[in-house]
């Protein structure tokens, strides 16, 4: 007999859902959290922004819900989640029974669109290993009913959500600084690729390297099946720390990347059409349930780094009117991607991310947090700018002129791209050098 899927969350979200019952139109939103083998932890409920400005344009019937709009909201929110956290499912507040025969087809269409959107960019890690989503229906008359949707069988089964006075999870906080200073050569056959295609190829390489890397927890290699909670207790006993049990545990993780999968000493000579250089470091912070293993934590750190880079690059491509292409003259172009800021959720110490473009500050973050997460941030100081603005002139000088101009003939056509992801904590420098070899 298959066990019923269970999820736990804070009872304050019942009050949140109840506020939408007073509206004359239905409300749909996302449930965010961390899945485990035994149960799921929902850390936040967020309403999907009203379609086309809301008001009279808001759909009043479940079958009129814009599925692509909901799916796009799921993609935007996934960018903001730390590694190990996902969009666990949907909630719908309405008088209609969304599990009835008249609504079930529309529900499956919405869930399919969400699944498709979250898997469109594999580097966002939008879907956990399981192919399931929770669906919560809340109404004034019947209160709430929860179901579990299985994508493989396209079927719904019973599930339960328990609203507790206090979500009894002592989240473990893990921090990591991922340092990067690497040059990626571009072979002549790929020299005319657009920058986006180059960066997707590099993301794939970084993703593979992080999957095969060695992760040190507080300076030590731990057994992959060891529980994080056990590690924390051992360290507390050894160091005799007078730490309150209710405080969030903090671990530092160091990543050691493999030298390369090819151990051969042979050197292969290729015709280079340019190079891309990435330099700096990425700040990562994830929050895990106490029973999480070292293997789970390593995967969450890896996901957080790749997801953060992929999110920034996606936002950067979307912001460009058009991508620059080769020209007969030397050109220097600066591509500065958004930087990461952190904000605490109202009911937990878990932090989510927002990304600010150059020149943007806490006011812009307050707007996007309100729209995408339905969070009202009243104090700008509660938005933690963990990366800061990069010193672009200095980066251009060190990362481009010193590395490139002295090694290229003056007659060579070249194009240089630089992208800064913050300077204090994260710097991503991309210098793309393209020259054409005449036969």
């Amino acid at each position: 007999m298959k066990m019923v899927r269970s999820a736990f969350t804070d009872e304050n979200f019942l009050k949140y859902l109840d506020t939408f019952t007073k509206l004359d139109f239905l409300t749909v939103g996302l449930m965010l959290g961390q899945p485990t083998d035994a149960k799921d932890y929902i850390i936040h409920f967020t309403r999907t922004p009203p379609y086309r400005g809301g008001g009279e344009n808001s759909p009043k019937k479940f079958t009129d819900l814009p599925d692509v709009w909901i799916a796009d909201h799921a993609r935007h929110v996934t960018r903001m989640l730390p590694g190990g956290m996902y969009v666990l499912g949907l909630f719908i507040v309405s008088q209609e029974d969304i599990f009835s025969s008249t609504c079930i087809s529309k529900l499956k269409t919405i869930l399919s669109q969400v699944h498709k959107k979250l898997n469109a960019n594999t580097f966002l890690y939008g879907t956990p290993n399981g192919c399931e989503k929770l669906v919560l229906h809340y109404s004034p008359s019947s209160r709430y009913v929860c179901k579990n949707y299985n994508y493989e069988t396209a079927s719904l089964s019973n599930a339960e959500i328990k609203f507790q006075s206090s979500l009894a999870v002592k989240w473990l906080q893990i921090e990591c600084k991922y340092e990067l200073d690497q040059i990626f050569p571009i072979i002549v056959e790929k020299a005319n690729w657009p920058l986006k295609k180059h960066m997707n190829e590099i993301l794939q390489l970084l993703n593979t390297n992080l999957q095969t890397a060695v992760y040190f927890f507080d300076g030590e290699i731990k057994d992959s099946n060891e529980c994080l909670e056990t590690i924390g207790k051992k360290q507390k006993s050894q160091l005799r720390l007078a730490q309150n049990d209710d405080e969030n545990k903090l671990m530092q993780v160091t990543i050691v990347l493999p030298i390369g999968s090819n151990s051969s000493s042979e050197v292969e000579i290729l015709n280079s059409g340019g190079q891309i250089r990435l330099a700096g470091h990425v700040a990562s912070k994830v929050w895990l349930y106490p029973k999480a293993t070292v293997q789970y934590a390593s995967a969450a750190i890896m996901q957080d780094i790749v997801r953060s880079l992929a999110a920034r690059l996606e936002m950067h491509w979307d912001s460009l009117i058009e991508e620059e292409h080769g020209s007969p003259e030397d050109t220097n172009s600066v591509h500065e991607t958004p930087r990461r800021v952190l904000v605490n959720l109202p009911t937990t110490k878990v932090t989510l991310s927002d990304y600010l473009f150059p020149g943007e500050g806490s006011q812009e973050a307050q707007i996007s947090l309100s729209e995408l997460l339905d969070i009202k941030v009243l104090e700008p100081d509660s938005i933690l700018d963990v990366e800061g603005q990069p010193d672009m002139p200095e980066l251009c000088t060190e990362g481009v002129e010193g590395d490139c101009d002295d090694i290229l003939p003056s007659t060579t056509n070249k194009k240089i791209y630089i992208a800064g992801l913050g300077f204090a904590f994260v710097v991503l420098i991309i210098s793309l050098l393209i020259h054409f070899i005449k036969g």
Side-chain angles (χ1 to χ4, degrees):
M1 183 176 177
K2 186 178 179 181
M3 295 182 62
V4 173
R5 185 178 175 187
S6 298
F8 295 79
T9 189
D10 193 288
E11 68 177 7
N12 286 314
F13 291 122
L14 271 177
K15 301 175 184 176
Y16 176 75
L17 295 173
D18 196 58
T19 60
F20 301 123
T21 62
K22 301 174 178 61
L23 304 176
D24 61 352
F25 52 85
L26 56 80
T27 302
V28 63
L30 309 174
M31 298 185 289
L32 318 177
Q34 190 163 107
T36 76
D37 293 334
K39 52 192 173 184
D40 298 341
Y41 297 102
I42 301 175
I43 61 169
H44 191 59
F45 284 62
T46 174
R47 176 185 60 167
T48 297
Y51 186 57
R52 293 180 178 175
E56 295 181 356
N57 295 318
S58 298
K60 295 178 175 57
K61 294 176 58 179
F62 181 73
T63 53
D64 294 333
L65 277 175
D67 42 90
V68 176
W69 181 258
I70 299 167
D72 201 47
H73 181 220
R75 178 176 66 93
H76 281 286
V77 168
T78 297
R79 292 171 173 175
M80 309 171 83
L81 296 174
M85 299 284 182
Y86 303 89
V87 173
L88 295 181
L90 308 176
F91 72 83
I92 297 97
V93 181
S94 71
Q95 293 284 2
E96 291 180 275
D97 179 8
I98 66 168
F99 300 119
S100 66
S101 57
T102 56
C103 297
I104 199 69
S105 177
K106 179 63 176 181
L107 177 61
K108 291 183 177 181
T109 299
I110 294 173
L111 290 166
S112 296
Q113 284 291 343
V114 170
H115 193 64
K116 180 180 179 181
K117 186 71 73 170
L118 292 181
N119 287 281
N121 185 346
T122 56
F123 302 122
L124 287 179
Y125 284 96
T127 305
N129 294 331
C131 297
E132 297 178 329
K133 282 283 184 288
L134 290 169
V135 182
L136 175 66
H137 176 229
Y138 186 91
S139 68
S141 55
S142 61
R143 295 293 282 172
Y144 60 89
V145 177
C146 188
K147 299 283 186 179
N148 184 55
Y149 181 75
N150 187 301
Y151 283 102
E152 293 180 346
T153 61
S155 61
L156 287 163
S157 58
N158 291 330
E160 62 177 356
I161 291 183
K162 297 182 179 179
F163 293 87
Q164 301 178 329
S165 58
S166 177
L167 187 57
V169 181
K170 298 175 183 177
W171 293 102
L172 300 176
Q173 183 183 172
I174 300 180
E175 292 183 348
C176 175
K177 185 172 72 172
Y178 174 52
E179 296 190 0
L180 188 63
D181 191 352
Q182 190 172 353
I183 292 177
F184 301 88
I186 301 171
I187 63 175
V188 172
E189 290 77 8
K190 299 179 180 180
N192 287 323
W193 279 10
L195 179 59
K196 182 178 181 179
K197 191 173 182 179
H198 282 300
M199 287 310 305
N200 281 333
E201 189 173 65
I202 290 175
L203 272 177
Q204 180 62 63
L205 178 61
L206 295 177
N207 184 62
T208 301
N209 286 344
L210 286 167
Q211 289 177 340
T212 57
V214 178
Y215 293 77
F216 289 78
F217 287 76
D218 286 335
E220 298 179 359
I221 298 179
K222 303 293 183 180
D223 183 88
S224 61
N225 295 320
E226 191 168 359
C227 179
L228 294 179
E229 187 179 43
T230 304
I231 296 174
K233 288 180 179 179
K234 287 179 180 178
Q235 292 171 341
K236 181 178 178 180
S237 176
Q238 292 170 355
L239 298 175
R240 297 179 181 177
L241 295 176
Q243 184 180 24
N244 189 306
D245 288 341
D246 291 334
E247 292 181 2
N248 294 62
K249 310 294 190 302
L250 173 63
M251 287 186 184
Q252 296 288 341
V253 169
T254 303
I255 301 175
V256 178
L257 296 174
I259 295 176
S261 57
N262 185 6
S263 60
S264 173
S265 59
E266 296 181 2
V267 177
E268 184 179 5
I269 299 177
L270 300 173
N271 290 327
S272 175
Q275 66 181 20
I276 295 177
R277 182 189 177 205
L278 291 139
H281 56 270
V282 176
S284 173
K285 178 180 287 190
V286 301
W287 303 78
L288 302 175
Y289 69 104
K291 300 297 182 183
T293 62
V294 168
Q295 183 179 13
Y296 189 98
S298 301
I301 286 287
M302 181 272 295
Q303 292 169 9
D304 187 70
I305 293 170
V306 177
R307 180 186 284 171
S308 180
L309 291 175
R312 301 168 204 245
L313 290 172
E314 261 195 0
M315 295 174 69
H316 183 60
W317 310 139
D318 292 344
S319 70
L320 295 178
I321 298 176
E322 61 179 335
E323 188 169 343
E324 298 176 11
H325 298 283
S327 68
E329 298 179 356
D330 295 351
T331 59
N332 293 333
S333 301
V334 177
H335 289 249
E336 188 176 347
T337 59
R339 69 188 189 278
R340 190 182 215 171
V341 296
L342 299 179
V343 61
N344 284 104
L345 291 172
T347 58
T348 176
K349 291 185 178 180
V350 175
T351 57
L352 301 192
S353 300
D354 193 17
Y355 294 96
L356 300 180
F357 282 93
E360 292 184 337
S362 58
Q363 287 185 329
E364 285 78 13
Q366 287 173 296
I367 294 172
S368 61
L369 291 170
S370 175
E371 291 180 347
L372 296 175
L373 297 178
D374 207 8
I375 295 176
K376 306 298 181 184
V377 181
L378 302 178
E379 297 294 333
D381 292 343
S382 61
I383 299 173
L384 183 60
D385 193 339
V386 294
E387 296 180 357
Q389 299 276 5
D391 188 343
M392 295 309 296
E394 181 179 348
L395 295 178
C396 292
T397 301
E398 294 181 359
V400 178
E401 294 178 1
D403 292 342
C404 305
D405 289 351
D406 294 339
I407 63 174
L408 291 175
S410 58
T411 57
T412 301
N413 293 328
K414 61 183 179 181
K415 180 185 291 184
I416 298 171
Y417 293 86
I418 301 175
L421 302 180
F423 185 67
F425 282 84
V426 181
V427 180
L428 170 60
I429 304 177
I430 307 171
S431 50
L432 175 58
L433 211 61
I434 297 179
H435 65 275
F436 302 97
I437 301 177
K438 298 182 179 180

